[in-house]
């Protein structure tokens, strides 16, 4: 069986870390097995969906490398949902109900005050044709509920193991609102069937939904629509570094913001793909490699810890391992492509790609030297070799040591301060040959160069 999964965002907001993880795990699972990844835009809510959000989702997924094999909009598939609704009505599984929100609320309160679960009492099922005609004559429009079986629905969840949901403890879900709007449930099931989705992978918060959806899958299949209920994986939710629910700020952190903050896509995907699994938290070589190593068997049952310190660490790792060929177009875009040797010398000091701009200034200038002791600087200049080659640092510092008596930190730190104008930075042995004779001389003289 070839795997086909879908990521189904509603274009009513930006992608944030939680839904990116869902998209990512779908992609990793599918691609790890040579399967297909479908992007399905859940835009049945025409009032809240916008083309801007839809474009943003596509941009974010593309930037992360989560390229889709197929793409659909639910707003273009209403005829399929109507057809499915008609089949369910014909099978007696979809029934009209006329209660207003206030009426339902009142009934719930009464049930709760009697110690009963606040489940819809199915009063609408007792309505006669005449009752319905009378209600409609009053101007009431029905909403449509799916009649649950009231069975225990069980499935082997790829992430949670054996799961059972008792649909007798649930209200019959409303599938179509009185204004005709299809709520998420039915279109989702119809699409999963129509598109041949083999695995539905989503957050743990959908587990109860799945109980009802499995009944809808089975009802539609029995009515001749579609052939197989997919398998399910409900992932443990993300929590913050402290183990508590993800803070509002982090939970709503958008991919767009992370991009603006200078995070590398591979750091984000490695982080979100590995937290909550038994794998070490390391940056992956590529998204494909991450997919090849992905398995639900590695996913724990406990929540996945989202820690920005880990993300920062992986981000630095991704940059430290980035070959010049990959960095080059981005360096050019920043106007600081100084060649492979400079990239190799500077990349071990990057936390964000943009740090390269400040670091390259150590090579190209202008650097304002920090000269604590002008006498020391002059002495170092006295013994500066004429030829600044790859081995110059060792030879020069030996000579400065012999000439001034300074050693260890007292020798190396002042030279770093003078030559880079910074407290810390790249390895001096690598850096100094890149700075070149002329600038070294000027900096030793205390000039900005
Ligand atoms: N649009 C739904 C959501 O974002 C999709 C859920 C699902 O994957 O079925 O919650």
């Amino acid at each position: 069986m070839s795997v086909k999964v879908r990521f189904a965002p509603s274009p009513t907001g930006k992608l944030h870390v939680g839904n990116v993880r869902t998209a990512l795990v779908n992609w990793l699972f599918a691609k790890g097995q040579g399967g297909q990844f479908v992007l399905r835009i859940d835009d049945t809510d025409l009032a809240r969906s916008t083309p801007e959000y839809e474009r943003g989702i596509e941009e974010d997924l593309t930037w992360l490398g989560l390229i889709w094999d197929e793409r659909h909009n639910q707003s273009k598939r209403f005829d399929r949902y109507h057809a499915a609704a008609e089949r369910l009505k014909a099978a007696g599984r979809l029934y009209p109900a006329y209660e207003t929100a206030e009426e339902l609320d009142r009934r719930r309160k009464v049930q709760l005050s009697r110690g009963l679960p606040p489940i819809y009492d199915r009063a609408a099922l007792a309505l006669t044709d005449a009752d319905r005609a009378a209600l409609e004559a009053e101007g009431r429009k029905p909403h449509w509920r799916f009649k649950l079986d009231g069975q225990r629905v069980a499935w082997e969840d790829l992430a949670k193991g054996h799961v059972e949901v008792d649909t007798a403890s649930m209200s019959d879900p409303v599938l179509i609102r009185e204004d005709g709007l299809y709520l998420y449930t039915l279109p989702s099931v119809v699409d999963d069937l129509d598109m041949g989705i083999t695995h539905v992978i989503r957050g743990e918060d959908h587990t109860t939904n799945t109980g009802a959806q499995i009944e809808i899958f089975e009802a539609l299949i029995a009515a001749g629509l579609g052939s197989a209920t997919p398998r399910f994986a409900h992932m443990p939710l993300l929590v913050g570094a402290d183990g508590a629910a993800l803070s509002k700020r982090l939970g709503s952190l958008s991919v767009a913001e992370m991009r603006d903050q200078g995070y590398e896509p591979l750091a984000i995907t490695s982080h979100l793909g590995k937290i909550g699994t038994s794998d070490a938290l390391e940056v992956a070589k590529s998204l494909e490699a991450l997919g090849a190593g992905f398995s639900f068997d590695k996913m724990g049952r406990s929540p996945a810890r989202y820690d920005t310190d880990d993300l920062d660490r992986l981000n630095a790792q991704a940059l430290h391992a980035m070959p010049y060929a990959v960095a080059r177009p981005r360096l050019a875009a920043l106007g600081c492509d100084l060649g492979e040797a400079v990239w190799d010398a500077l990349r071990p000091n990057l936390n964000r790609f943009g740090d390269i701009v400040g670091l390259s200034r150590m090579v190209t200038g202008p650097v304002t030297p920090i000269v604590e002791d002008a006498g020391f600087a002059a002495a170092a200049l006295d013994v500066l070799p004429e030829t600044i080659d790859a081995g110059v640092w060792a030879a020069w510092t030996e000579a400065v040591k012999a000439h001034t008596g300074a050693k260890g930190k007292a020798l190396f730190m002042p030279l770093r301060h003078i030559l880079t104008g910074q407290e810390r930075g790249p390895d001096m042995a690598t850096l100094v040959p890149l700075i070149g004779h002329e600038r070294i001389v000027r900096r030793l003289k205390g000039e900005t160069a």
Side-chain angles (χ1 to χ4, degrees), residues 6 8-10 42 184 188 202 206:
R6 85 302 194 274
S10 304
D42 275 11
Y184 142 80
S188 173
R202 54 191 177 189
H206 280 286

Side-chain angles (χ1 to χ4, degrees), residues 6-10 19 22 26 40-42 74 184 188 192 200-203 205-206 209 213:
R6 85 302 194 274
F7 173 55
S10 304
N19 36 47
T22 303
N26 271 285
R40 193 180 77 207
I41 304 290
D42 275 11
Q74 290 197 323
Y184 142 80
S188 173
D192 290 343
V200 169
I201 302 167
R202 54 191 177 189
D205 49 332
H206 280 286
N209 259 339
Q213 285 196 345

Side-chain angles (χ1 to χ4, degrees), residues 175-440:
L175 302 189
I176 310 170
R177 279 193 340 201
E178 35 292 310
D179 60 1
L181 183 102
Y182 282 91
L183 292 171
Y184 142 80
T185 315
L186 181 65
S188 173
V189 172
V190 171
D191 287 350
D192 290 343
L193 286 173
D194 275 359
M195 294 166 195
I197 299 300
T198 59
H199 295 77
V200 169
I201 302 167
R202 54 191 177 189
E204 197 164 55
D205 49 332
H206 280 286
T207 310
T208 321
N209 259 339
T210 298
Q213 285 196 345
I214 288 178
E215 283 202 12
I216 301 174
F217 273 110
E218 288 172 356
L220 287 176
I221 292 169
L225 272 184
S227 54
T229 302
R231 296 199 60 191
F232 293 89
H234 292 90
M235 295 183 286
L237 297 180
L238 293 180
V239 295
D242 54 2
L246 214 55
S247 70
K248 215 166 168 192
R249 186 183 61 79
L250 271 185
S252 62
L253 190 64
S254 68
V255 180
E257 278 171 283
M258 293 171 93
R259 185 165 51 219
D260 291 346
Q261 289 172 6
Y263 282 110
E264 297 300 310
L266 195 56
I268 298 175
T269 48
S270 298
H271 184 230
L272 287 174
K274 290 194 173 185
I275 48 176
T277 75
S278 52
D279 278 344
L281 215 46
E282 298 290 330
V283 79
K285 283 213 165 52
S286 65
L287 208 48
E288 288 68 27
L290 197 59
F294 178 84
S295 160
F296 278 109
D297 296 340
K298 294 181 182 170
M299 199 176 269
R301 303 279 162 89
S302 46
R305 243 168 236 270
Y306 183 91
D307 187 341
T308 39
D309 288 346
D310 288 331
L311 176 59
D312 286 338
R313 185 170 59 77
L314 294 190
N315 199 69
Q317 252 184 28
L319 293 168
H320 302 172
M322 188 180 286
Y324 175 63
V326 175
R328 192 173 183 180
R330 291 170 66 185
L331 292 170
L334 289 176
C336 67
D337 179 6
L338 301 173
E340 185 160 7
V342 173
W343 170 251
D344 286 344
L346 302 183
R347 66 179 174 168
N349 285 75
L350 298 174
N351 289 310
R352 295 283 194 277
F353 193 89
D355 295 348
I356 195 71
V357 177
L359 286 173
S360 0
R361 225 168 274 139
M362 293 185 184
V363 176
T364 61
V367 162
T368 304
I370 306 172
V371 185
E372 285 112 357
D373 177 348
F376 174 85
L381 180 56
D382 282 345
V383 293
L384 181 70
E386 265 314 307
T387 315
I388 304 295
D389 56 16
V392 74
W393 178 249
W396 182 34
T397 49
E398 262 320 301
V400 178
K401 183 174 165 186
H403 196 40
T404 63
K407 53 178 188 257
K409 244 182 132 185
L411 170 64
F412 298 116
M413 285 311 282
L415 289 175
R416 174 180 290 286
H417 293 166
I418 295 166
L419 294 180
T420 70
Q422 304 291 329
E423 289 294 331
R424 59 188 70 81
D427 172 46
M428 291 299 282
T430 323
L431 190 61
V432 162
L434 299 169
I435 298 175
H437 195 267
E438 189 202 329
R439 279 196 198 86
I440 295 176

